[in-house]
Amino acid sequence: MLLEIAIGDAYGAGFEFCGREKIMRSNTLESYVPHELGIQAGCYTDDTQMSIAVAEVLLANSDYSSDAFADAYVRCYKRDQRQGYAKGLQGLLDLCVNGADLRQRISPESRRNGAAMRSVPLGLIADKNVLAQAASEQAMVTHNTAEGILSSHVVALMSHALLYDKAKLVELPDFILEITGFILRGDWAAEVECDALQTLHAVNTALQANRCMSTLLLDCVNFGGDVDSVAAIAMGLASLTPEYVVDIPASLVNGLEAGKFGSSYLRKLDVALAGRYPVLSAHLVRQS
Ligand SMILES: [Mg+2]
C-alpha cells in the first residue's frame, strides 16, 4: 500500500504541473524524472509523507483525533523535511514544533486535495463509522471544508471496500454514491487542478480504465496537472485489488529513494500495518 503510493507519488512528482511536451517526451515509465522545482528523480513528496503519518497514527493506538493526526503530520515532516508541500503549509510546518502549534497557526479552509491524498491507509479501519470519523478528524486539520472532508471519506471508503468487501472496481462508484451521495465520474479528461473533487474524478477515471499498474501510472500522468496526488491515490488503491496486475517496471521499483524513510522503511511500515490489520496481508504478497 505505502510502497505503491510512494511509487505513484515519486513518478508523478516529476510531472506535476509541467508542460505537455515533458509528458509527451518522458512519460514512458523508463525512469523517474526530476522536477524543475528541485524534487530529485525517485523522491516522493507530501502525499506519501502524510500517508505515512496517517499510517503511524493507525499503528499507534485508537486515537484518531485531529490532534493525533496533527502531531503525526508535524513529526513526520520534522524528522524528514522534504519538497513537494504547498508553500503555505510547508512554511507553517517549518515554524511549528508540534500538532497543537500547527492547529493554532493554520487556517484550515482549503478545498484542495491535501486531505484526499493521504487517505488510502484509512481504509484499514474496519468499522465504517469509525472510518468516517477518522477521515473527518484528519481532514479538518488542514481542510476543514465540506469538499476536503468528503474527499478524504471517499478515498478511505474506496480503500475499505477493496480491502474488506473485496469489491470489484466497477462497483466502487455505486458504493460511494450509496454511502456519501457523491457521484464519482469515470470520464475525467482535463488537466487536474489541486482541487479535491477533480482529483477524485481523475483517480476513479484512471482506476476504472486500466487493470495494470504500468498503464495506470501512464494514464495518471497523462491528465497533466496535480498528477503526483492522482497517481499516489490511484496506485495505493490499485495495490488493494487482485484485479490489478502488479507490473511496475523494475526501474521504478528499484529507483525509488533509499535512505532512512525510503523504500525499505515503506516496506517495513506496510508489514507492520498488515500485522495490525491482517486484511492487508494478501496484498503485500503481491508486492514482492
Ligand atoms: Mg505531492
Side-chain angles (χ1 to χ4, degrees):
M1 172 191 272
L2 289 167
L3 183 70
E4 291 84 357
I5 289 171
I7 289 171
D9 178 5
Y11 186 70
F15 300 97
E16 190 179 6
F17 291 104
C18 73
R20 182 54 58 181
E21 68 288 346
K22 183 177 181 183
I23 295 177
M24 303 279 281
R25 186 176 67 243
S26 303
N27 186 20
T28 61
L29 303 181
E30 262 175 50
S31 64
Y32 292 104
V33 296
H35 193 282
E36 290 66 24
L37 291 179
I39 299 168
Q40 292 174 10
C43 288
Y44 65 75
T45 70
D46 53 345
D47 309 78
T48 304
Q49 185 165 67
M50 296 190 99
S51 295
I52 290 171
V54 168
E56 291 186 359
V57 170
L58 295 182
L59 284 170
N61 47 48
S62 299
D63 178 7
Y64 306 143
S65 65
S66 293
D67 290 341
F69 285 113
D71 265 337
Y73 300 144
V74 175
R75 182 183 67 243
C76 287
Y77 176 75
K78 288 291 179 189
R79 73 188 184 194
D80 176 30
Q81 295 186 15
R82 58 177 59 236
Q83 301 297 310
Y85 281 85
K87 272 202 184 72
L89 181 56
Q90 185 145 23
L92 281 177
L93 289 168
D94 283 330
L95 285 174
C96 291
V97 294
N98 56 32
D101 197 6
L102 174 64
R103 299 206 69 198
Q104 204 161 30
R105 291 173 189 267
I106 198 169
S107 302
E109 282 119 32
S110 177
R111 290 177 170 75
R112 297 171 69 166
N113 58 17
M117 73 184 188
R118 57 190 187 230
S119 291
V120 174
L122 291 173
L124 290 166
I125 299 172
D127 183 306
K128 285 210 270 283
N129 294 318
V130 178
L131 173 151
Q133 186 62 31
S136 174
E137 292 285 325
Q138 77 79 16
M140 69 173 70
V141 176
T142 52
H143 296 68
N144 194 10
T145 57
E147 294 87 346
I149 291 169
L150 172 68
S151 67
S152 173
H153 193 199
V154 168
V155 171
L157 280 173
M158 290 170 86
S159 171
H160 183 280
L162 295 172
L163 281 164
Y164 285 96
D165 305 331
K166 313 297 176 204
K168 296 283 182 204
L169 289 163
V170 70
E171 297 168 342
L172 289 178
D174 280 347
F175 174 77
I176 294 300
L177 178 63
E178 195 180 310
I179 297 185
T180 69
F182 180 69
I183 298 173
L184 263 176
R185 286 176 52 181
D187 62 348
W188 190 263
E191 186 168 307
V192 185
E193 296 169 25
C194 289
D195 178 82
L197 305 186
Q198 285 189 21
T199 300
L200 297 179
H201 296 314
V203 164
N204 184 59
T205 299
L207 210 53
Q208 300 295 345
N210 293 284
R211 289 298 180 269
C212 298
M213 288 186 178
S214 58
T215 56
L216 177 66
L217 268 176
L218 291 171
D219 269 11
C220 287
V221 168
N222 278 334
F223 286 120
D226 195 11
V227 295
D228 62 331
S229 296
V230 175
I233 299 168
M235 285 289 284
L237 293 173
S239 76
L240 305 180
T241 170
E243 286 186 86
Y244 258 87
V245 177
V246 183
D247 63 346
I248 306 165
S251 57
L252 299 187
V253 175
N254 300 327
L256 185 66
E257 63 175 271
K260 196 167 175 193
F261 296 103
S263 52
S264 302
Y265 181 79
L266 294 162
R267 284 179 193 273
K268 263 190 247 160
L269 208 47
D270 273 333
V271 170
L273 285 170
R276 174 76 178 260
Y277 302 93
V279 73
L280 184 62
S281 305
H283 306 288
L284 297 197
V285 175
R286 297 175 354 114
Q287 218 177 55
S288 48

